[in-house]
């Protein structure tokens, strides 16, 4: 099968089809030629969030069957461990012995697990979270943390750069504080009780696309930006990258100097830290 009518967007390997093979929406379906993955940006599309080449062919032939179970619409592929594209069943992480034990080790409660929510995927022995893009041109994605794969804990969908996503911004925007703390990982936010006061950039790298969002916060809302990363070389790298990105958008920021990783602070210690920040606003 050849690619249907459409055009390349200019992004690496990205092809915009004239119509979605699943819902028929015009100029909403993107196909990544390099990675063999496609997705529709239409919110009313009945299809899976992401499809591979086999389903792509079936969709254009009118042979792709959609499930009524929303959980089956979440589809993943790992380029490193060969999960391949497969429908994976979700349950809340608190309902899994292994998932619950991990969350408890990070000081996360059942309420937090269900409110966030944090999911458990038995097939891949991993936790999963919804991550939101810094630009509307990208779809909301699911990132997952594999508990048994220490060499690469956070896995993004193949063809998706997790550095284009942030976590926690939707909670902060519900009742925005005059300040925002930028951390590396979601457990830096959750373990410290900072949900609603901090966001996670999901790693040690961050794309320039994030800059416009921070510029809007700082210039339009007057939000004070603080950077709090791990006390190791990766944390120092993340701190410098975030600072450099913010500087390029003329967004002022301050470091939170600490001798240990955010997630290793007790919630009482974090409350005292927040008190100092709020007094200095």
């Amino acid at each position: 099968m050849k690619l249907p009518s459409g055009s390349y967007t200019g992004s690496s390997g990205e092809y915009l089809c004239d119509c979605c093979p699943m819902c028929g929406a015009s100029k909403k379906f993107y196909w990544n030629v390099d990675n063999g993955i496609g997705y529709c940006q239409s919110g009313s599309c009945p299809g899976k969030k992401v499809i591979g080449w086999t389903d792509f062919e079936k969709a254009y032939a009118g042979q792709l069957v959609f499930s009524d179970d929303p959980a089956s619409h979440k589809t993943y592929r790992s380029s490193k461990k060969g999960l391949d594209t497969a429908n994976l069943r979700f349950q809340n992480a608190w309902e899994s012995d292994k998932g619950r034990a991990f969350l408890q080790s990070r000081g996360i409660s059942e309420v937090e697990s269900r409110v966030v929510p944090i999911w458990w995927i038995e097939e891949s022995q991993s936790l999963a979270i919804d991550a939101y893009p810094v630009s509307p041109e990208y779809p909301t994605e699911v990132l997952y943390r594999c508990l048994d794969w220490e060499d690469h804990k956070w896995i993004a969908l193949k063809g998706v750069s997790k550095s284009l996503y942030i976590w926690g911004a939707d909670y902060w925007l519900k009742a925005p504080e005059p300040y925002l703390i930028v951390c590396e990982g979601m457990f830096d936010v959750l373990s410290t009780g900072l949900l609603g006061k901090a966001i996670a950039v999901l790693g040690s790298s961050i794309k320039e696309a994030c800059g416009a969002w921070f510029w809007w916060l700082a210039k339009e809302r007057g939000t004070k930006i603080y950077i709090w990363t791990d006390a190791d070389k990766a944390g120092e790298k993340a701190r410098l990258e975030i600072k450099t990105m913010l500087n390029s958008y003329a967004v002022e920021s301050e470091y939170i100097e600490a001798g240990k990783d955010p997630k290793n602070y007790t919630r009482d210690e974090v409350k005292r830290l927040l008190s100092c920040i709020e007094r200095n606003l």
Side-chain angles (χ1 to χ4, degrees):
M1 172 183 165
K2 295 182 179 179
L3 286 174
S5 61
S7 59
Y8 284 93
T9 66
S11 298
S12 178
E14 189 174 71
Y15 184 85
L16 175 60
C17 299
D18 286 341
C19 68
C20 173
M22 297 178 287
C23 69
S26 176
K27 305 292 185 181
K28 290 290 185 180
F29 186 84
Y30 291 83
W31 179 258
N32 191 302
V33 176
D34 295 336
N35 295 309
I37 284 178
Y39 63 90
C40 180
Q41 288 190 331
S42 172
S44 60
C45 185
K48 300 175 182 178
K49 179 174 288 189
V50 176
I51 61 174
W53 181 255
T54 299
D55 283 345
F56 188 52
E57 290 183 303
K58 287 181 179 179
Y60 269 100
Q63 299 171 346
L64 186 60
V65 178
F66 305 127
S67 169
D68 292 329
D69 179 5
S72 69
H73 293 178
K74 295 177 182 286
T75 305
Y76 303 86
R77 173 180 294 175
S78 166
S79 60
K80 297 183 179 179
K81 286 293 181 178
L83 286 179
D84 202 4
T85 303
N87 291 331
L88 303 176
R89 296 292 173 174
F90 284 39
Q91 66 180 124
N92 192 275
W94 203 262
E95 296 166 8
S96 158
D97 290 341
K98 190 169 183 178
R100 182 172 61 255
F102 180 84
L103 296 182
Q104 288 175 324
S105 73
R106 295 301 181 92
I108 297 168
S109 69
E110 178 180 3
V111 171
E112 290 167 321
S113 176
R114 296 188 185 280
V115 167
V116 168
I118 304 173
W119 303 103
W120 174 257
I121 306 173
E122 186 65 29
E123 294 92 332
S124 59
Q125 293 288 288
S126 62
L127 302 171
I129 57 167
D130 286 320
Y132 296 88
V134 296
S135 172
E137 66 183 286
Y138 303 105
T140 298
E141 288 295 357
V142 179
L143 303 182
Y144 56 106
R145 188 190 199 282
C146 301
L147 301 189
D148 294 336
W149 302 347
E150 291 300 323
D151 57 331
H152 49 282
K153 294 178 182 178
W154 281 105
I155 312 297
L157 206 63
K158 186 177 180 183
V160 172
S161 171
K162 71 178 186 299
S163 57
L164 290 170
Y165 290 81
I166 52 180
W167 184 84
D170 49 326
Y171 297 96
W172 183 86
L173 288 168
K174 290 176 183 177
E177 299 280 357
Y179 61 89
L180 175 67
I181 300 173
V182 182
C183 300
E184 291 177 83
M186 66 169 288
F187 291 109
D188 295 330
V189 176
L190 283 174
S191 298
T192 52
L194 286 174
L195 186 62
K197 299 178 184 295
I199 64 166
V201 294
L202 302 173
S204 296
S205 62
I206 187 169
K207 293 290 188 182
E208 286 291 319
C210 296
W213 189 77
F214 285 106
W215 182 91
W216 173 74
L217 289 181
K219 302 302 181 183
E220 297 297 322
R221 286 179 172 265
T223 306
K224 179 71 175 180
I225 308 295
Y226 290 89
I227 304 171
W228 193 10
T229 60
D230 286 352
D232 57 14
K233 289 185 178 180
E236 291 176 6
K237 175 188 175 186
R239 183 168 63 174
L240 179 59
E241 288 192 3
I242 296 169
K243 183 75 170 178
T244 301
M245 181 273 294
L246 293 175
N247 287 345
S248 70
Y249 280 82
V251 175
E252 295 183 1
S253 60
E254 292 185 16
Y255 295 143
I256 293 178
E257 300 291 350
K260 53 186 177 181
D261 297 353
K263 60 181 173 288
N264 293 329
Y265 277 77
T266 67
R267 296 198 178 191
D268 285 340
E269 289 175 321
V270 173
K271 286 179 181 177
R272 290 194 289 272
L273 173 66
L274 292 179
S275 294
C276 292
I277 288 176
E278 290 166 359
R279 283 198 301 270
N280 292 328
L281 289 174

